[in-house]
Amino acid sequence: MKKLSSLLAAGVIVSLAGAGTAVAEANTAKAAAQNVAQVTQAQQQQTTTAVPRGKAAATHNPLYKTGRLASSNCRPGSLPRGSTAAYKRFLSRVTNCLNKSWASQFRKARLSFSKPRLRITTRKLSSPCGRWVGGADGYYCSSNRTMYMLITKTQLRNPDPIGIARLMAHEYGHHVQAISGIWNYYGPAYNRASGSARLQLSRRSELQAECFSSVFMRSVRDTLPVDSGRWSQIVDWFHDHGHEGWAQNDHGKGPSQAFWMKRGFSSASPGSCNTWRVSSRYVA
């Protein structure tokens, strides 16, 4: 249809030029160009919608209506002990898997998508978001939309592919929150709040990122692969110890973390990760 419209417009221009109407030809060409621009703009509006703002950006985000995260062929390769190069390659490939999976989901939601940057380091370093968070093996900085992943000697001695992929998917979950507009609500609300209210907002954000992580892990369980026994061990560990790395209850108690991990993995859908509308007891 677009090709036919272009041919018709060209036919009008040729006919007018044959009659010696140079001015009319220019005007017609200008009108045709404006028409094409308007059609292109309309198509872009149909393809993407404005990033939501306000509380609805968190409570009624378009991502929640996109259904299951499609299963993807994610094969980051082996992770042998003692190889920093293999570790970096694994992190990069898992990030590529995350990019493909979430890009597809954003298209379903008609939201604009952009990839995060990946910074791999062997020492804790600062970022535009401040100093490295104590006890963390990775974090996401929204200021420069970068995932910072730490490779330690302990990890090199005992690499855990499923555990590492889960951590990456969690930090990527924060990127999803940032570019989908969820943090358009969370950031200002967090800055206005204090005390227990601020901690609860932090827990809603962190537990949602954990749920998003589990959604992704479900989508790659057959190819990464995600061994069901090992995954159960990880969930159980978080149930018992997930809160111990944080001085304040800003990530949620162990049972809360395990609850959202199970919820995301069983549903495989971002819609199950709406931590912003549930009772406070689910984000304790």
Side-chain angles (χ1 to χ4, degrees):
M1 190 58 149
K2 288 174 63 180
K3 183 176 181 180
L4 180 59
S5 299
S6 299
L7 289 172
L8 289 174
V12 171
I13 293 172
V14 170
S15 298
L16 291 171
T21 53
V23 174
E25 178 182 352
N27 290 336
T28 304
K30 181 179 180 181
Q34 290 175 340
N35 182 57
V36 170
Q38 290 172 353
V39 170
T40 302
Q41 184 178 12
Q43 290 173 338
Q44 290 175 343
Q45 290 174 345
Q46 290 176 357
T47 303
T48 60
T49 58
V51 175
R53 296 187 176 277
K55 190 172 184 178
T59 59
H60 294 82
N61 195 275
L63 277 177
Y64 301 152
K65 297 182 179 180
T66 54
R68 294 168 65 93
L69 199 68
S71 298
S72 61
N73 184 11
C74 182
R75 301 180 187 274
S78 62
L79 194 54
R81 293 182 180 181
S83 175
T84 302
Y87 209 109
K88 289 181 177 180
R89 184 167 58 248
F90 184 90
L91 295 178
S92 297
R93 288 177 176 176
V94 171
T95 300
N96 289 337
C97 295
L98 284 157
N99 286 334
K100 292 177 182 178
S101 293
W102 283 108
S104 175
Q105 212 69 12
F106 270 68
R107 284 194 295 271
K108 293 181 189 177
R110 293 186 176 180
L111 289 172
S112 178
F113 174 80
S114 61
K115 300 176 183 178
R117 298 181 181 90
L118 175 63
R119 178 78 181 272
I120 302 172
T121 178
T122 55
R123 61 182 180 84
K124 296 181 178 180
L125 44 77
S126 299
S127 74
C129 292
R131 298 178 64 183
W132 194 283
V133 180
D137 287 332
Y139 72 96
Y140 174 78
C141 177
S142 60
S143 296
N144 60 356
R145 295 188 174 180
T146 299
M147 293 166 54
Y148 291 84
M149 300 303 301
L150 178 66
I151 301 178
T152 65
K153 292 181 179 178
T154 300
Q155 291 168 341
L156 287 175
R157 285 195 298 266
N158 298 291
D160 177 11
I162 298 177
I164 295 166
R166 182 218 62 82
L167 173 61
M168 294 201 73
H170 174 99
E171 302 310 331
Y172 201 101
H174 287 314
H175 180 66
V176 169
Q177 291 172 320
I179 64 175
S180 67
I182 292 172
W183 271 7
N184 286 342
Y185 165 70
Y186 167 62
Y190 181 87
N191 290 332
R192 290 193 302 266
S194 61
S196 61
R198 173 175 282 195
L199 287 174
Q200 185 180 116
L201 284 166
S202 177
R203 292 195 297 272
R204 290 186 187 276
S205 176
E206 292 295 340
L207 291 170
Q208 181 174 56
E210 196 61 58
C211 185
F212 282 162
S213 171
S214 298
V215 166
F216 171 76
M217 295 301 288
R218 172 62 181 272
S219 74
V220 297
R221 66 174 180 175
D222 294 329
T223 56
L224 188 64
V226 180
D227 177 78
S228 59
R230 177 59 184 142
W231 179 251
S232 294
Q233 288 177 350
I234 291 174
V235 174
D236 290 342
W237 185 92
F238 272 90
H239 181 280
D240 297 335
H241 306 286
H243 60 285
E244 294 177 356
W246 312 105
Q248 302 183 79
N249 186 19
D250 55 359
H251 279 61
K253 296 179 180 178
S256 296
Q257 294 181 36
F259 171 83
W260 289 102
M261 291 175 77
K262 292 177 180 177
R263 187 176 175 89
F265 196 82
S266 63
S267 70
S269 170
S272 68
C273 300
N274 190 350
T275 57
W276 305 96
R277 295 187 66 190
V278 299
S279 166
S280 59
R281 67 190 180 97
Y282 291 104
V283 291

